[in-house]
């Protein structure tokens, strides 16, 4: 029996138009009516998921979400945190220099804003700010306040450029932080204790839900540990091969109601919702 379903957003819950299909909404409503908790687990900041929480009726005081790729676990009303991990000024200085040396663009998330030290602001940064509904500002490295705390750092660029940079990341960076690729053009750098898997484990303990009663659904590298933690791991049809390799099941793609298909098949015990 499943008591909690953790669902990634981009490439999973959302179709390629960043929308939740009617069938997915119906499947989520059906399992919620049976008492199953739904937890959105995303790399987005809270501002980038509020409208979807409202659409799904998940914005209550006792609903929960995982944001910033696991750096923040909070209630979905946005009124209290379960846990939060942040990075500091020294981390910013180090990671920004690595990005600059590797020739890739860089931006960071702090409080409710996105900041880039790149005067030539990347189109990937602009798109991320737009999709996540996050105000974007430019600050030179010298203008960054040493008192700021950051939820995550991101190296962003065209896929080929970013992949070359990833191949040359210094071992020290990989040892000091949680580093995950969340999209073809996004590499995310988090506190070493952050990540969707760690966050789901923390939230499950907070709620008293055993791992074997959790289903997780995802499509990218940043979903891997979350899928490995859950008792039932489902990869989207559009997932990368590494995600499909660790999954117990593979559903259809995000443009083919993959989340609904998984819920119907593995939780509701039916091949389709009717009516």
């Amino acid at each position: 029996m499943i008591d909690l379903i953790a669902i990634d957003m981009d490439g999973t819950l959302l179709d390629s138009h960043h929308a939740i299909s009617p069938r997915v909404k119906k499947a989520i409503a059906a399992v919620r009516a049976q008492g199953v908790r739904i937890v959105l687990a995303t790399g987005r900041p809270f501002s980038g998921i509020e409208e979807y929480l409202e659409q799904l009726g998940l914005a209550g005081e006792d609903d929960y979400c995982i944001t910033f790729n696991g750096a923040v676990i909070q209630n979905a009303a946005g009124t209290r945190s379960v846990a939060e991990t942040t990075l500091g000024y020294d981390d910013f200085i180090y990671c920004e220099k690595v990005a600059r040396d590797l020739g890739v663009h860089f931006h960071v998330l702090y409080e409710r804003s996105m900041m880039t030290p790149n005067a030539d602001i990347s189109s990937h940064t602009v798109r991320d700010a737009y999709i996540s509904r996050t105000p974007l500002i430019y600050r030179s490295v010298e203008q960054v306040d040493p008192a700021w705390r950051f939820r995550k750092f991101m190296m962003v660029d065209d896929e080929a450029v970013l992949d070359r940079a990833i191949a040359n990341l210094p071992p020290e960076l990989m040892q000091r932080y949680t580093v995950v690729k969340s999209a073809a053009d996004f590499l995310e750098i988090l506190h070493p204790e952050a990540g969707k898997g760690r966050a789901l484990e923390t939230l499950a303990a907070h709620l008293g839900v055993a791992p074997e009663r959790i289903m997780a659904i995802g499509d990218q590298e940043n979903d891997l540990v979350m899928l490995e933690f859950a008792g039932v791991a489902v990869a989207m049809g559009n997932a990368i091969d590494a995600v499909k390799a660790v999954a117990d099941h593979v559903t259809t793609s995000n443009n083919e109601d993959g989340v609904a298909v998984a819920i119907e098949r593995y939780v509701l015990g039916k091949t389709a919702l009717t009516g």
Side-chain angles (χ1 to χ4, degrees):
M1 180 177 176
I2 297 298
D3 292 333
L4 186 154
I5 305 174
I7 309 174
D8 168 57
M9 289 192 61
D10 294 286
T12 300
L13 178 72
L14 306 180
D15 64 21
S16 57
H17 300 291
H18 306 292
I20 306 173
S21 76
R23 184 176 174 186
V24 170
K25 289 180 181 178
K26 191 170 186 178
I28 287 174
V31 288
R32 289 192 71 225
Q34 295 183 0
V36 177
R37 283 187 178 273
I38 302 295
V39 174
L40 301 190
T42 179
R44 294 185 182 212
F46 185 68
S47 59
I49 70 170
E50 287 178 286
E51 65 177 289
Y52 301 107
L53 293 170
E54 292 286 351
Q55 286 180 33
L56 295 172
L58 296 173
E61 288 285 337
D62 294 323
D63 294 307
Y64 292 88
C65 56
I66 294 168
T67 55
F68 296 100
N69 257 323
V72 178
I73 310 165
Q74 64 187 101
N75 78 329
T79 57
R80 67 179 186 276
S81 246
V82 173
E84 182 172 342
T85 55
T86 58
L87 299 162
Y89 180 75
D90 290 344
D91 299 306
F92 167 78
I93 293 298
Y94 171 72
C95 292
E96 188 279 332
K97 184 178 186 304
V98 170
R100 187 159 23 96
D101 290 346
L102 291 173
V104 292
H105 288 86
F106 185 74
H107 65 249
V108 303
L109 280 295
Y110 75 102
E111 294 181 353
R112 293 180 70 89
S113 298
M114 181 181 296
M115 183 277 290
T116 179
N118 304 139
D120 60 329
I121 299 176
S122 168
S123 60
H124 300 274
T125 292
V126 173
R127 180 170 61 86
D128 191 24
Y130 173 76
I131 290 173
S132 63
R133 310 290 194 269
T134 307
L136 172 61
I137 62 172
Y138 162 75
R139 294 286 186 273
S140 67
V141 172
E142 295 73 23
Q143 291 174 316
V144 172
D145 187 338
W148 284 356
R149 301 297 302 180
F150 306 93
R151 268 60 180 272
K152 66 176 181 176
F153 305 145
M154 296 181 65
M155 294 184 188
V156 301
D157 228 299
D158 294 343
E159 183 175 6
V161 175
L162 185 61
D163 284 346
R164 282 196 297 271
I166 291 170
N168 290 288
L169 287 172
E172 180 187 358
L173 184 141
M174 305 297 291
Q175 293 162 5
R176 285 174 59 174
Y177 305 101
T178 295
V179 182
V180 291
K181 196 173 186 187
S182 58
D185 53 348
F186 290 164
L187 183 75
E188 310 208 6
I189 302 166
L190 307 157
H191 187 282
E193 295 180 4
K196 289 187 185 181
R198 180 74 65 88
L200 182 57
E201 182 178 0
T202 299
L203 180 58
H206 177 76
L207 297 172
V209 180
E212 59 268 23
R213 298 173 79 94
I214 296 174
M215 183 166 81
I217 313 174
D219 73 309
Q220 283 290 335
E221 178 185 315
N222 60 321
D223 299 316
L224 281 169
V225 180
M226 176 176 77
L227 292 170
E228 290 170 342
F229 173 75
V232 179
V234 180
M236 299 297 292
N238 52 287
I240 62 173
D241 290 342
V243 168
K244 291 179 179 178
V246 304
D248 301 302
H249 309 286
V250 178
T251 184
T252 53
S253 77
N254 62 320
N255 287 322
E256 300 169 303
D257 302 314
V259 167
V261 171
I263 289 173
E264 292 162 7
R265 187 171 297 164
Y266 307 119
V267 184
L268 295 173
K270 55 183 72 175
T271 56
L273 289 174
T274 59

